[in-house]
Amino acid sequence: METSIKLNNEVFDIEKIRSDFPILHQLVHKKPLCYLDNAASTQKPKVVIDSISDFYSTTNSNIHRGVHFLSEKATQNYENTRTTVKDFLNAKSEKEIIFTSGTTSSINLIANTYGRKNVNKGDEIIVTNMEHHSNIVPWQILCEEKNANLRVLPINNNGELILEKFNELITERTKLISVVHVSNSLGTINPIKKIIEIAHKNNIPVLVDAAQSIQHLEVDVQKLDCDFLAFSGHKIYGPTGVGVLYGKENLLEEMPPFMGGGDMISKVTFEETTFNDLPFKFEAGTGNIAGVIGLAAAIDYVKSIGLENINKHEAKLLNSATEKLSEIKGLKIIGTAKEKTSVLSFVVGNIHPHDIGTFLDFEGIAIRTGHHCTQPVMDYYKIPATSRASFAFYNTFDEVDHLTSALKKTIEVLS
Ligand code: PMP
């Protein structure tokens, strides 16, 4: 295995990085694990695992409501994470950071609060043809309830958005544009800043699904000027079951609460309930306290490696894999946008992606096969599914070579 890679005169010590991830050092079907399913979920460095274990070993207690030592310490750690996330996103205030269980629940929160309040009969919401189901279905449910319409920005054959079509889609009835920053099935990086500019010229707020960008690219909510943004902890080397919703304070302030319960209230009587201040208004009940604390460890870890370094290494992996897989006869890459993150979707003739995935598994290689919760993307390409290899900064060029040769072998057997 290569040990260190030079990036802009900085040494990216891949062996040291891999040693931070305990799960990577195991055999699968007697072969070294080659984990290339990072778009589905990333692996966790030891610092994240330790932070969760330490929390349960030393600090476990419910937050916000206790006057005792452990509760105050747990509250402090939980709220420190809010500051970590605020700084990471460059939000203006901690009030703009709401902890959820993940991207899906963040988007559903907006649909059920901002959406229900502002979308009425005949209004329109715009999404794109490359959205994950979690950025389609909540809007369909809302449109059904409100008799509103969902409109879809199309893509081209490279898997890029056709931005010019916004002119035809945006009307005075458009109430929200909800768009993915990076496609999980195509890898396309969307020109999100431009989309937000177009939307704002028409006084339309924008929700950004950052589930696949937060771990690869700098996401600065003030630079982007997005109105809402959602991401999941588990895609950025943090725990599952925790996520973030960012919202501009003035918008969150005007929104009704989503779930009712403890922590989100300031006073309850049977006659009347008043709600807590931001961000607690949207955090009913006991959340994933350990997960939130683990998320801070994950963000600190990513910052210590540096998003720029991560991006450079992953771009090299993607280029190498794209070059090598393109040479395989009969293999077609799905998603050839100019701007991509390290996601490589492909089909090979009539071979079913599940068969490819199963054969590669026997070589120790974990990839994802299926529609990747983006069935409209599959429909666009008239395919039922793809095989998808997705790379993280702990992946190596040896692993790209292993994927290439195992794939060649697999195709030979299955053809
Ligand atoms: N959006 C995108 C682009 C995704 O890739 C995913 C996860 N595959 C989601 C939303 C949903 O994320 P979660 O399941 O963590 O809520």
Side-chain angles (χ1 to χ4, degrees):
M1 184 199 294
E2 63 272 53
T3 52
S4 58
I5 297 154
K6 267 202 144 194
L7 292 174
N8 271 5
N9 298 326
E10 280 173 60
V11 175
F12 192 73
D13 189 342
I14 194 83
E15 206 167 322
K16 155 83 184 57
I17 284 169
R18 288 180 69 82
S19 72
D20 292 336
F21 292 82
I23 204 170
L24 296 178
H25 311 282
Q26 63 177 297
L27 300 180
V28 167
H29 303 304
K30 298 187 183 151
K31 306 275 171 59
L33 170 65
C34 174
Y35 187 76
L36 303 179
D37 192 19
N38 295 288
S41 202
T42 51
Q43 298 303 348
K44 319 305 170 202
K46 193 154 182 308
V47 282
V48 169
I49 299 166
D50 286 349
S51 77
I52 295 166
S53 164
D54 284 351
F55 172 76
Y56 283 123
S57 307
T58 66
T59 316
N60 180 47
S61 183
N62 212 331
I63 52 169
H64 293 150
R65 290 178 286 272
V67 291
H68 62 82
F69 178 82
L70 287 185
S71 178
E72 283 183 358
K73 194 171 165 198
T75 303
Q76 200 170 38
N77 291 352
Y78 186 91
E79 291 304 325
N80 284 347
T81 303
R82 212 184 295 276
T83 305
T84 301
V85 173
K86 178 208 116 201
D87 292 344
F88 191 55
L89 295 179
N90 192 29
K92 281 187 185 154
S93 151
E94 278 86 355
K95 290 182 186 172
E96 299 180 319
I97 306 298
I98 296 155
F99 291 120
T100 65
S101 65
T103 307
T104 305
S105 88
S106 298
I107 297 173
N108 275 277
L109 193 157
I110 295 299
N112 278 281
T113 54
Y114 186 87
R116 274 194 163 155
K117 185 169 178 201
N118 294 293
V119 175
N120 294 304
K121 187 164 185 250
D123 285 341
E124 291 161 359
I125 294 162
I126 300 178
V127 294
T128 81
N129 202 148
M130 66 168 84
E131 300 308 319
H132 188 279
H133 295 164
S134 63
N135 198 25
I136 300 174
V137 185
W139 308 116
Q140 283 176 327
I141 294 171
L142 178 69
C143 287
E144 175 81 22
E145 180 188 316
K146 295 286 188 167
N147 239 321
N149 300 304
L150 191 64
R151 316 217 43 199
V152 183
L153 187 76
I155 57 174
N156 65 24
N157 211 35
N158 295 329
E160 294 163 321
L161 294 175
I162 308 176
L163 289 194
E164 304 78 60
K165 293 280 180 187
F166 264 132
N167 292 335
E168 293 165 31
L169 286 178
I170 290 176
T171 71
E172 70 283 358
R173 308 291 322 241
T174 310
K175 287 291 150 73
L176 183 80
I177 296 177
S178 194
V179 59
V180 71
H181 193 176
V182 169
S183 158
N184 64 312
S185 52
L186 301 166
T188 313
I189 303 173
N190 288 320
I192 208 76
K193 194 165 163 46
K194 206 166 163 188
I195 292 170
I196 292 165
E197 277 166 16
I198 295 170
H200 285 180
K201 265 193 203 135
N202 292 279
N203 292 321
I204 304 164
V206 178
L207 188 164
V208 177
D209 172 354
Q212 295 290 343
S213 56
I214 196 77
Q215 66 280 48
H216 300 293
L217 310 169
E218 184 202 65
V219 173
D220 180 323
V221 292
Q222 290 194 63
K223 266 195 214 158
L224 290 176
D225 198 24
C226 55
D227 301 280
F228 303 109
L229 183 133
F231 73 88
S232 304
H234 71 101
K235 309 265 191 196
I236 180 166
Y237 311 97
T240 53
V242 61
V244 168
L245 171 67
Y246 158 82
K248 282 183 179 163
E249 189 178 337
N250 62 324
L251 295 175
L252 294 177
E253 208 58 86
E254 285 168 16
M255 280 159 42
F258 178 29
M259 293 206 291
D263 231 20
M264 55 75 73
I265 52 88
S266 80
K267 186 168 184 347
V268 178
T269 66
F270 282 114
E271 288 70 39
E272 193 191 29
T273 290
T274 49
F275 303 123
N276 204 341
D277 296 331
L278 289 176
F280 313 111
K281 181 170 88 173
F282 294 106
E283 292 181 4
T286 303
N288 184 354
I289 304 167
V292 165
I293 289 164
L295 177 61
I299 290 175
D300 286 343
Y301 180 82
V302 164
K303 278 161 80 175
S304 77
I305 308 283
L307 273 170
E308 209 179 319
N309 289 331
I310 287 174
N311 196 269
K312 279 184 188 139
H313 179 60
E314 290 175 346
K316 286 184 178 183
L317 290 169
L318 178 71
N319 287 344
S320 170
T322 304
E323 208 177 290
K324 287 179 172 147
L325 264 54
S326 299
E327 284 166 8
I328 298 177
K329 209 171 148 253
L331 186 147
K332 184 173 173 228
I333 292 172
I334 303 292
T336 49
K338 271 192 214 88
E339 301 290 334
K340 278 184 73 173
T341 59
S342 48
V343 165
L344 194 52
S345 263
F346 57 90
V347 289
V348 188
N350 289 331
I351 306 176
H352 199 283
H354 287 333
D355 294 335
I356 292 178
T358 307
F359 268 71
L360 291 182
D361 180 49
F362 281 108
E363 300 293 328
I365 302 171
I367 63 158
R368 186 140 299 238
T369 60
H371 52 61
H372 317 293
C373 297
T374 57
Q375 279 182 330
V377 170
M378 302 299 123
D379 290 345
Y380 173 83
Y381 286 100
K382 298 189 173 56
I383 49 176
T386 73
S387 301
R388 181 189 70 186
S390 50
F391 303 94
F393 60 87
Y394 43 61
N395 289 126
T396 67
F397 296 99
D398 287 349
E399 288 180 313
V400 172
D401 290 344
H402 183 36
L403 170 70
T404 310
S405 58
L407 198 52
K408 283 180 181 162
K409 211 163 93 181
T410 301
I411 293 168
E412 227 176 83
V413 175
L414 292 174
S415 291

